């Protein structure tokens, strides 16, 4: 969850998990201060509300089984702090991602990721170096998580959803690459994509 560029990057990474790893949309969700309208038009002031961060997590029925990643380039966004504090209250795991050291949001999360990217070439435009660093880290977090739950075999996206011609061809190539190994596995151990295409 985040505001502005940070929120947009979180929503983007969450959206990519569905086709890439075959997750349900509810499994990885991106929240942006101001709601989905803020994806294309700035919703001024939304990031300044800690209460809104909590409200957005209440709305998705956050539980102790969940993990909240709070993303804030500045490291001090109230929307993110409110969300992290609420997540701790319900017993969810908490992670903060900031683009400077000793970030305020780090005091509100159990796991802290702080990346010092230095001054932006356009002062204050965190969509530049900060945004790039955040995107790389979000890629790492989501990919490592999906590897951990078995959505990847070796370096292949075995649960990719073949929803268009390109992805159908990719799925076929994945099967061809691993056919020898997969034929030695019992059918009930095959990843869902393999069962569908066999």
């Amino acid at each position: 969850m985040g505001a502005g560029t940070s929120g947009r990057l979180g929503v983007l990474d969450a959206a990519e998990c569905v086709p890439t790893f075959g997750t349900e949309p509810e499994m990885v969700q991106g929240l942006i201060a101001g709601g989905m309208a803020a994806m294309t038009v700035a919703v001024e002031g939304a990031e300044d509300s800690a209460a809104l961060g909590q409200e957005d997590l209440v709305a998705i029925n956050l539980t102790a089984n969940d993990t909240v990643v709070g993303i804030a380039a500045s490291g001090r966004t109230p929307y993110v702090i409110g969300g992290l504090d609420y997540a701790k209250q319900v017993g969810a795991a908490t992670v903060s991602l900031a683009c400077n050291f000793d970030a305020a949001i780090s005091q509100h999360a159990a796991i802290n990721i702080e990346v010092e990217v230095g001054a932006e070439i356009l002062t204050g435009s965190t969509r530049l170096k900060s945004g790039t660093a955040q995107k790389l880290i979000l890629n790492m977090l989501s990919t490592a998580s999906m590897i951990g739950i078995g959505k990847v075999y070796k370096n292949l996206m075995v649960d990719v959803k073949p929803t268009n011609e390109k992805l159908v061809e990719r799925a076929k190539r994945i099967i061809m690459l691993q056919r020898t190994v997969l034929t030695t596995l019992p059918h009930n151990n095959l990843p869902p994509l393999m069962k569908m295409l066999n």
Side-chain angles (χ1 to χ4, degrees):
M1 67 183 307
T5 299
S6 298
R8 289 181 192 98
L9 291 170
V11 171
L12 172 64
D13 198 64
E16 290 292 338
C17 288
V18 176
T20 305
F21 299 112
T23 64
E24 294 301 319
E26 298 78 22
M27 182 180 209
V28 182
Q29 298 181 48
L31 299 175
I32 182 170
M36 284 303 149
M39 285 296 291
T40 57
V41 178
V43 178
E44 300 303 334
E47 71 180 66
D48 296 328
S49 173
L52 184 57
Q54 176 174 333
E55 289 169 20
D56 284 354
L57 292 176
V58 168
I60 63 166
N61 300 312
L62 185 77
T63 72
N65 296 321
D66 296 317
T67 300
V68 173
V69 179
I71 315 161
S74 68
R76 58 182 175 80
T77 307
Y79 172 81
V80 173
I81 290 172
L84 289 171
D85 286 346
Y86 175 72
K88 285 199 303 190
Q89 285 176 24
V90 299
T94 53
V95 179
S96 66
L97 170 54
C99 291
N100 54 58
F101 295 128
D102 300 318
I105 63 170
S106 297
Q107 304 305 311
H108 300 266
I111 299 170
N112 308 301
I113 303 170
E114 297 179 338
V115 182
E116 179 65 61
V117 298
E120 298 287 1
I121 193 161
L122 295 175
T123 303
S125 183
T126 56
R127 68 183 183 82
L128 300 171
K129 290 195 294 185
S130 294
T132 300
Q134 288 174 328
K135 180 63 175 124
L136 289 168
I137 292 165
L138 291 170
N139 285 347
M140 292 177 215
L141 291 173
S142 59
T143 302
S145 297
M146 294 301 135
I147 290 169
I149 63 170
K151 296 287 189 177
V152 174
Y153 177 75
K154 295 189 177 182
N155 71 330
L156 301 173
M157 304 179 298
V158 294
D159 273 355
V160 66
K161 288 193 175 189
T163 54
N164 60 43
E165 187 177 319
K166 174 187 78 175
L167 294 177
V168 167
E169 291 306 312
R170 181 173 293 147
K172 289 177 185 176
R173 285 193 306 277
I174 289 170
I175 291 170
M176 288 187 287
L177 285 169
Q178 297 304 319
R179 188 73 178 157
T180 351
V181 174
L182 291 173
T183 54
T184 64
L185 292 174
H187 189 263
N188 61 351
N189 286 347
L190 293 178
L193 172 67
M194 306 306 177
K195 290 179 190 175
M196 183 180 77
L197 294 174
N198 274 344

